[in-house]
Amino acid sequence: MVEFMKCGGCGGDMAREATICPHCGWDLSAVLSAPPPPTVMQRFREGGWRYFVYPLLIALPILGFMRLRATGPGPDLVTTLRWMAVGDGGRAAELETIHRMHEIGAAASRFMIRENEMPPFGGDWAGVLASSSTARVRGWIPLVFMGADTAMSPASVRDMYEVRATDGWNRPYRATATPLPRDLDLTTVPQVAADLDAGLHATFFTIDRPNFGEGQWMRLELESAGRDGVFDTADDLYMVSYIQVGHVFRLLYNPDEVQQQIERAYTIGRQYFRIDGSSYDLIDARLLAEYRLTSLH
């Protein structure tokens, strides 16, 4: 009895001991003598690595640039590369937190100039102050008074210049606004005296102290729970701000000069503040804020 097997070429029957198919001429001996197909590792060693390495060489700079936009540059190359690889340790969130704190104080100052009263820091206080934000009053292009519509600004600008009740980690602030008595030398109040001794900033770059002898003043304290999200721990961020309620008018002043002073105070959103708990000083924060605004968009 003859045993058959299937031809590898046409699928027809051929004797098991045969090497040539009688139907199509397929040669089994040629197949048996052919070398085995190369393995994946052999193909990789013989040049297949190019299909992985070349796209990677193209993708790495692009991915690195995208990552650098989110983390920003570190003080040295090692720090920058570590931030790009494993994250910035909350650096961007901390920056947004302290910048928004400053924006809240500036918006509160503008509100009090316009309304001649303290803003409510209960309920939706961020919604009340939103129209007094820097982006709404001065424009959303840094240092240029134009485009004064927050909805027109890129997302990175809104992150930095909108008034929000949440910090850079999207957690709510603790906000405490305290009116200060008018018939008292405020420099003798222990809390105020301690703040003056610690120093207050008139801007991110200058140190000054308020003139408590003029008008009504408010002390605003903002607190963020920081990276761990728990209040009253070592990584909390604080801002103390002293803001004048309204504007002091004096008889016999030149009306044009008074108007100019009011407009300037309203545009700037003047406050005297100090931010504690951040690992960056205020100049660093301002420069990093500008970096984020120009690098993200």
Side-chain angles (χ1 to χ4, degrees), residues 101 104-105 121 125 173-178 191 195 218-224 231-232 236-243 271-272 274 276:
M101 284 178 170
I104 292 170
F121 275 92
W125 56 266
Y173 290 106
R174 279 180 180 172
T176 305
T178 305
Q191 190 176 50
D195 290 333
M218 177 189 79
R219 182 182 187 272
L220 173 63
E221 181 174 318
L222 293 174
E223 180 182 359
S224 163
F231 282 106
D232 304 321
D236 289 6
L237 301 172
Y238 300 87
M239 185 185 81
V240 173
S241 178
Y242 288 86
I243 310 170
Q271 58 177 316
Y272 299 86
R274 186 181 72 257
D276 292 329

Side-chain angles (χ1 to χ4, degrees), residues 99 103 106 110 130-154 156-163 266-269 286 290 293:
H99 204 277
E103 289 304 303
R110 297 187 186 103
S131 62
S132 302
S133 68
T134 296
R136 294 288 181 88
V137 174
R138 299 183 62 178
W140 59 265
I141 301 178
L143 307 182
V144 180
F145 296 162
M146 63 181 296
D149 185 350
T150 309
M152 296 169 56
S153 62
S156 62
V157 178
R158 291 197 297 272
D159 285 344
M160 303 300 288
Y161 284 98
E162 275 189 337
V163 174
Y266 182 78
T267 301
I268 294 174
R286 185 67 184 185
E290 295 299 334
L293 293 177

Side-chain angles (χ1 to χ4, degrees), residues 13-292:
D13 293 335
M14 60 181 291
R16 182 170 295 279
E17 66 276 5
T19 60
I20 303 296
C21 176
H23 307 290
C24 67
W26 180 72
D27 190 352
L28 176 61
S29 61
V31 175
L32 295 175
S33 61
T39 64
V40 174
M41 290 304 299
Q42 288 174 331
R43 291 180 183 274
F44 184 80
R45 287 195 299 266
E46 293 171 359
W49 55 270
R50 296 183 180 89
Y51 296 103
F52 298 92
V53 174
Y54 290 170
L56 191 62
L57 291 176
I58 297 174
L60 275 178
I62 299 175
L63 296 175
F65 174 72
M66 295 174 61
R67 183 64 175 172
L68 186 61
R69 292 198 316 170
T71 62
D76 52 65
L77 180 60
V78 174
T79 302
T80 298
L81 294 177
R82 186 175 71 249
W83 282 349
M84 291 172 63
V86 299
D88 62 4
R91 173 176 177 268
E94 181 177 336
L95 171 61
E96 291 180 7
T97 297
I98 62 179
H99 204 277
R100 287 180 190 170
M101 284 178 170
H102 180 268
E103 289 304 303
I104 292 170
S109 175
R110 297 187 186 103
F111 177 92
M112 289 190 283
I113 291 174
R114 187 181 68 227
E115 304 295 336
N116 202 34
E117 64 180 13
M118 285 180 52
F121 275 92
D124 184 21
W125 56 266
V128 174
L129 296 178
S131 62
S132 302
S133 68
T134 296
R136 294 288 181 88
V137 174
R138 299 183 62 178
W140 59 265
I141 301 178
L143 307 182
V144 180
F145 296 162
M146 63 181 296
D149 185 350
T150 309
M152 296 169 56
S153 62
S156 62
V157 178
R158 291 197 297 272
D159 285 344
M160 303 300 288
Y161 284 98
E162 275 189 337
V163 174
R164 300 182 186 178
T166 55
D167 60 16
W169 292 273
N170 202 31
R171 305 187 192 107
Y173 290 106
R174 279 180 180 172
T176 305
T178 305
L180 301 176
R182 300 188 60 168
D183 55 350
L184 184 66
D185 181 5
L186 296 179
T187 59
T188 63
V189 177
Q191 190 176 50
V192 177
D195 290 333
L196 294 176
D197 289 340
L200 297 173
H201 289 263
T203 69
F204 276 95
F205 304 97
T206 60
I207 296 177
D208 204 345
R209 58 190 295 154
N211 181 8
F212 290 125
E214 292 187 351
Q216 173 79 40
W217 288 80
M218 177 189 79
R219 182 182 187 272
L220 173 63
E221 181 174 318
L222 293 174
E223 180 182 359
S224 163
R227 302 182 188 186
D228 64 2
V230 180
F231 282 106
D232 304 321
T233 56
D235 68 342
D236 289 6
L237 301 172
Y238 300 87
M239 185 185 81
V240 173
S241 178
Y242 288 86
I243 310 170
Q244 190 173 18
V245 181
H247 193 84
V248 176
F249 295 93
R250 295 186 181 278
L251 295 176
L252 305 181
Y253 261 34
N254 185 328
D256 293 335
E257 182 179 348
V258 171
Q259 182 177 354
Q260 291 177 359
Q261 292 179 356
I262 294 175
E263 289 178 351
R264 176 172 174 78
Y266 182 78
T267 301
I268 294 174
R270 182 170 288 116
Q271 58 177 316
Y272 299 86
F273 66 96
R274 186 181 72 257
I275 296 176
D276 292 329
S278 172
S279 57
Y280 311 101
D281 64 30
L282 294 177
I283 294 178
D284 287 338
R286 185 67 184 185
L287 294 176
L288 289 172
E290 295 299 334
Y291 168 82
R292 283 181 58 77

